[in-house]
């Protein structure tokens, strides 16, 4: 497992398969694999489209907005690295992107008592290493 | 289904929380220990499994190449067939289905099925965080760990929160599951946590990941379990108390709705349980007791719904209205389950519901014995897919009579 020495948080193992996602995130763009045959946005990265099995997946920019499908407020670090301790409580959500993929994402700039299912959110990015950034979300303006 | 296979032996080692100063047993030692107990119960020897079947559940701590063959070598057994399951908490149940198919096909007559793990003794990134190498590689981890997902508790909390958005569920309803299974643990000398808890203690236990509380969470232990399955013909020569497999169903990577935006509030039991019930030719009301895979009370409640004991969304009310005690009208997790019994790793905890059904149907459950237990059901539930609950769901129905 790769970890960040400065933050003591986990880092992704970047492969040729996943590099476009991390690189795009560094430049503040959310890209997902879009299926050439059925237009499905796949996430996380897959070797073929999980809906139709087509291997022709093109990294495509997705709308940076979505809706909270569900949330939890993590109040303790579990099965992750101690670096998250400083960010507790972590508002971890499942976000349904407007382009139709669902992903885990932390909502920030939001009080725990304000988070709600159905809340509209927009993306912001956080650099986690020289090569990678992750999408996070905040309440939409 | 014809009652042509039966379980004739089972074993469960003492569990350990691996406290300082305790002897730490290896996975190999736990496997041999559990197998020894199962062989003694069946009146068999390890050599009875030469040219037969050996089933080995995946173990995170061991995780060597050729794991099942390596276990055969360690035990000095030369099986014809190796059965290997890596379906997490569904492994034990899935291997019973595989063994049954092999026995029916006449390829083998019997199989010894083993599993052990030592999750508290895995080299870890930080104390108390069993982050084995296999949990922390590949896109599954790369798009969760760095994003801040805190393991199974956060993953199930997200599912539970969504459920509570769509349906009614009260904390006291889940608390009733935790309190009742702890009562059962108090009657089971092998359980790890045996001191009874009250509803107030459950409600007061600290929230780890809303809405999941500390007393919703399964305690991890080191330990091993094993069982022996044979043709019914052989079973009857070995014991007067064979426990027959009457029906099974299995669903892997189940989606409720589309693959990209599924409804996460229904599990694969919605598919596996009707298969098992139809095969066994039994109705819900014929089932005398129920042994779900209980890593969280919420999972138990969803499992009850998806088995069809009540309608979707009415699981909370069902739990509230029924008596879940071993002497009640819906005996649940009669050994204390994993919640109070302990979970020897996500993969091996799945042996416990199966072995408790066998224990009950043989009338060997002591102070927690369900009276006149004739038909029991158990579950395997394994792995957590990205953003959903339960990669593998297995439903099993057993009977004391052929
Ligand atoms: Zn497609």
């Amino acid at each position: 497992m790769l970890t960040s020495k400065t933050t003591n948080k986990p880092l992704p193992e970047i492969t040729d398969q996943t590099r476009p996602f991390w690189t795009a995130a560094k430049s503040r763009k959310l890209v997902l694999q879009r299926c050439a045959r059925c237009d499905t946005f796949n996430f996380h990265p897959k070797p073929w489209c999980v809906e139709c099995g087509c291997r022709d997946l093109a990294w495509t920019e997705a709308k940076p907005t979505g809706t909270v499908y569900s949330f939890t407020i993590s109040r303790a670090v579990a099965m992750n690295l101690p670096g998250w301790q400083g960010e507790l409580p972590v508002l971890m959500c499942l976000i349904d992107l407007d382009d139709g993929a669902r992903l885990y994402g932390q909502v920030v700039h939001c009080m725990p008592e304000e988070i709600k299912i159905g809340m509209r959110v927009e993306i912001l990015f956080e650099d986690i290493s020289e090569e990678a950034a992750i999408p996070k979300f905040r309440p939409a303006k | 289904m014809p009652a042509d296979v039966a379980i004739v032996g089972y074993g469960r080692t003492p569990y350990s929380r691996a406290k300082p100063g305790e002897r730490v047993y290896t996975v190999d030692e736990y496997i041999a220990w559990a197998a020894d107990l199962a062989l003694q119960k069946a009146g068999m020897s390890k050599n009875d499994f030469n040219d037969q079947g050996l089933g080995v559940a995946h173990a995170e701590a061991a995780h060597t190449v050729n794991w099942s063959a390596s276990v055969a070598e360690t035990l000095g057994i030369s099986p014809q067939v190796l059965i290997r399951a890596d379906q997490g908490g569904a492994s034990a149940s899935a291997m019973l289905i595989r063994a049954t198919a092999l026995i029916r096909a006449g390829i083998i007559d019997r199989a010894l099925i083993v599993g052990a793990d030592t999750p508290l003794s895995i080299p870890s990134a930080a104390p108390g965080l069993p982050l084995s190498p296999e949990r922390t590689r590949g896109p599954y981890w790369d798009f969760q760990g760095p994003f801040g997902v805190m393991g199974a508790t956060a993953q199930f909390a997200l599912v539970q929160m969504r459920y509570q958005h769509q349906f009614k569920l009260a904390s006291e309803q889940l608390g009733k599951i935790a309190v009742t299974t702890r009562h059962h643990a108090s009657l089971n000398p092998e359980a790890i946590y045996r001191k009874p808890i009250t509803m107030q203690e459950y409600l007061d236990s600290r929230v780890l990941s809303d809405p999941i509380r500390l007393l919703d969470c399964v305690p991890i232990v080191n330990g091993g379990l094993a069982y022996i399955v044979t043709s019914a013909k052989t079973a009857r020569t070995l014991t007067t108390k064979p426990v027959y497999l009457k029906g099974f169903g299995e669903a892997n990577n189940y989606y409720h709705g589309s693959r990209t935006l599924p409804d996460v509030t229904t599990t694969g039991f919605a598919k596996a349980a009707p298969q098992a019930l139809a095969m066994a030719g039994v109705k819900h009301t014929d089932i005398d007791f129920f042994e779900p895979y209980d890593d969280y009370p919420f999972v138990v409640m969803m499992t009850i719904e998806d088995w069809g004991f009540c309608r979707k969304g009415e699981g909370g009310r069902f739990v509230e209205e029924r008596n879940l005690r071993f002497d009640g009208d819906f005996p649940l997790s009669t050994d204390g389950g994993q919640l109070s019994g302990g979970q020897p790793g996500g993969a091996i905890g799945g042996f416990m519901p199966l072995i408790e059904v066998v224990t009950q149907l043989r009338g060997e459950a002591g102070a927690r014995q369900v009276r006149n237990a004739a038909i029991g059901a158990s579950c395997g539930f394994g792995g957590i897919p990205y953003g959903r609950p339960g990669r593998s769901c297995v439903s099993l129905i057993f009977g004391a009579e052929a």
Side-chain angles (χ1 to χ4, degrees), chain A residues 79, chain B residues 18 24-31 56-65 67 70-71 84-86 88 115-124 129-135 137 220-224 343-348:
Chain A
M79 304 295 275
Chain B
V24 176
Y25 292 92
T26 65
V27 171
D28 287 343
E29 288 178 304
Y30 274 122
I31 284 178
V56 184
H58 180 76
E60 248 177 271
H63 193 71
T64 66
V65 289
W67 173 233
S70 151
V71 169
R84 159 86 141 95
D86 65 350
D117 215 343
T118 57
L120 295 174
S121 308
I122 293 176
S124 177
L129 306 173
L131 282 170
S132 67
E134 68 180 42
R135 276 184 193 268
R137 61 179 175 220
I220 296 172
V221 298
N222 293 349
Q343 179 188 68
I348 312 304

Side-chain angles (χ1 to χ4, degrees), chain B residues 336-370:
Chain B
Q338 298 179 67
L339 276 173
S340 290
Q343 179 188 68
I348 312 304
F351 279 77
M352 293 167 66
L354 189 162
I355 281 176
E356 177 63 3
V357 166
V358 177
T359 307
Q360 288 285 353
L361 290 178
R362 287 171 62 110
E364 295 171 348
R368 62 182 195 278
Q369 179 65 46
V370 175

Side-chain angles (χ1 to χ4, degrees), chain A residues 35 37-40 49 51-54:
Chain A
C35 174
R37 189 192 291 163
C38 77
D39 284 342
T40 295
C49 172
E51 289 291 357
C52 78
C54 172

Side-chain angles (χ1 to χ4, degrees), chain B residues 128-162:
Chain B
L129 306 173
L131 282 170
S132 67
E134 68 180 42
R135 276 184 193 268
T136 52
R137 61 179 175 220
Y140 177 80
W141 167 259
D142 287 334
F143 288 86
Q144 288 191 68
F147 283 54
V149 179
M150 306 288 173
T153 296
Q155 291 161 322
F156 279 117
L158 283 155
V159 177
Q160 183 176 333
M161 192 67 88
R162 181 68 199 187

Side-chain angles (χ1 to χ4, degrees), chain B residues 167-201:
Chain B
F167 309 105
K168 261 195 152 79
L169 182 65
S171 298
E172 288 79 1
Q173 291 165 341
L174 297 183
K176 184 174 174 183
I177 293 173
V179 170
T180 310
T181 53
R182 181 61 68 88
H183 170 67
H184 291 155
S186 77
L187 304 174
N188 178 4
E190 294 181 319
I192 277 276
Y193 289 119
R194 302 191 59 205
K195 189 168 160 276
I197 53 170
T198 63
M199 179 66 79
Q200 201 54 50
E201 284 172 299

